[in-house]
Amino acid sequence: MNRVKIAPSILSCNFLKLEEEIKKAEEAGADLFHIDVMDGHFVPNITIGPMFVEQIKKVTSKPLDVHLMIENPDRFIIDFIEAGADIVTIHIETDKHILRTIEVIKSKGVKAGVTLNPATPLITIEHTIDKIDLLLIMTVNPGFGGQTYIDAMDEKIKKARQIIDASGRHIELEVDGGIKATNAKKVVQSGADILVMGTEIFHSGDYRKKIKEIRSIIKSIIKD
Ligand code: DX5
Ligand code: ZN
């Protein structure tokens, strides 16, 4: 099993103290930062654009994992890559020519991810498996932090893990939405390698303690 990574989602941090929040989370043991980009069309919320990513890049050496919840993502991917994205993840529901978009992302030396809303079946990404670096399973309907994990996603994560293993390729399996210390064990046992956590970390009051708690849960599984 790969080492499981913890990706704090900055959506839940205090934006007035963004630099401090990122540095604190990095010092507390974050492996990468998850950045949620929302356009008010694909999802019912609006967040940040490439200028923000550029600023974040200046204050952390950790990889930036940019989750695009926007219509016409191909229109913006170069902007996000130039701003410093290390991973760009696109929703299968938003892109009519996803293989072309994946090629563009990879041609810039950046990791390409695809993601699916909870109700979108895994079969839709079947023909991207030989190209992608990351598969993101949404475990809530995207748009907001602080929602509850959808239990039906347990099976989807397991199936995604089987598809990845069968491909023989190195594809990271990321889960996003409602991930907490209390369900970290089951999602890692189901096959997740990257845990996105917004409220669980940034609303915890003690990021170091929270990340340590999550790591000890994960460690106990790997030893099982
Ligand atoms: C939801 C976003 C998530 C969000 C997760 O649309 O994609 O990344 O920040 O937040 P929590 O961990 O609070 O569910
Ligand atoms: Zn996200």
Side-chain angles (χ1 to χ4, degrees):
M1 181 185 262
N2 296 325
R3 178 179 177 275
V4 175
K5 295 177 185 168
I6 296 175
S9 166
I10 63 147
L11 188 65
S12 296
C13 80
N14 180 348
F15 272 63
L16 292 177
K17 296 183 178 173
L18 185 59
E19 179 173 358
E20 192 185 320
E21 291 278 70
I22 287 174
K23 286 183 172 162
K24 265 168 59 183
E26 180 168 343
E27 282 162 19
D31 294 295
L32 66 167
F33 285 97
H34 185 84
I35 302 176
D36 289 306
V37 178
M38 306 185 188
D39 67 350
H41 294 281
F42 177 61
V43 289
N45 198 4
I46 298 175
T47 57
I48 60 169
M51 284 190 300
F52 238 89
V53 174
E54 200 176 338
Q55 298 303 318
I56 294 169
K57 191 74 181 173
K58 290 179 189 164
V59 299
T60 180
S61 58
K62 295 294 175 186
L64 302 185
D65 168 30
V66 175
H67 175 195
L68 295 181
M69 285 162 275
I70 61 175
E71 299 286 355
N72 304 315
D74 49 324
R75 159 74 184 76
F76 294 100
I77 47 176
I78 298 295
D79 293 344
F80 281 102
I81 291 169
E82 286 177 354
D86 297 281
I87 305 167
V88 176
T89 297
I90 330 136
H91 273 261
I92 190 89
E93 302 89 354
T94 62
D95 197 326
K96 294 191 188 81
H97 305 289
I98 200 138
L99 289 179
R100 182 185 292 149
T101 309
I102 291 167
E103 288 300 329
V104 172
I105 296 170
K106 292 181 66 130
S107 74
K108 298 288 175 190
V110 169
K111 288 186 182 174
V114 290
T115 182
L116 312 104
N117 283 337
T120 305
L122 281 163
I123 190 79
T124 56
I125 52 98
E126 184 182 0
H127 299 292
T128 69
I129 285 292
D130 62 334
K131 301 273 188 300
I132 56 174
D133 302 299
L134 180 144
L135 173 58
L136 170 58
I137 301 295
M138 288 308 301
T139 46
V140 297
N141 290 297
F144 303 94
Q147 301 182 82
T148 304
Y149 177 93
I150 298 170
D151 286 326
M153 295 302 103
D154 294 357
E155 277 308 305
K156 195 173 183 183
I157 298 166
K158 287 179 194 162
K159 279 187 195 154
R161 170 48 59 198
Q162 286 168 5
I163 292 169
I164 289 171
D165 289 348
S167 78
R169 297 192 63 240
H170 178 68
I171 299 171
E172 292 188 286
L173 182 56
E174 183 174 38
V175 289
D176 182 11
I179 308 296
K180 309 216 170 278
T182 48
N183 60 16
K185 182 171 181 172
K186 78 166 177 180
V187 295
V188 171
Q189 279 175 331
S190 298
D193 322 287
I194 303 180
L195 309 181
V196 175
M197 292 186 177
T199 49
E200 182 70 349
I201 291 175
F202 285 112
H203 293 192
S204 71
D206 187 336
Y207 308 161
R208 188 179 296 277
K209 193 172 157 206
K210 180 56 72 178
I211 291 177
K212 203 172 158 196
E213 179 192 354
I214 297 157
R215 286 219 193 281
S216 72
I217 290 167
I218 294 165
K219 214 170 151 190
S220 73
I221 303 165
I222 293 167
K223 278 186 189 157
D224 279 349

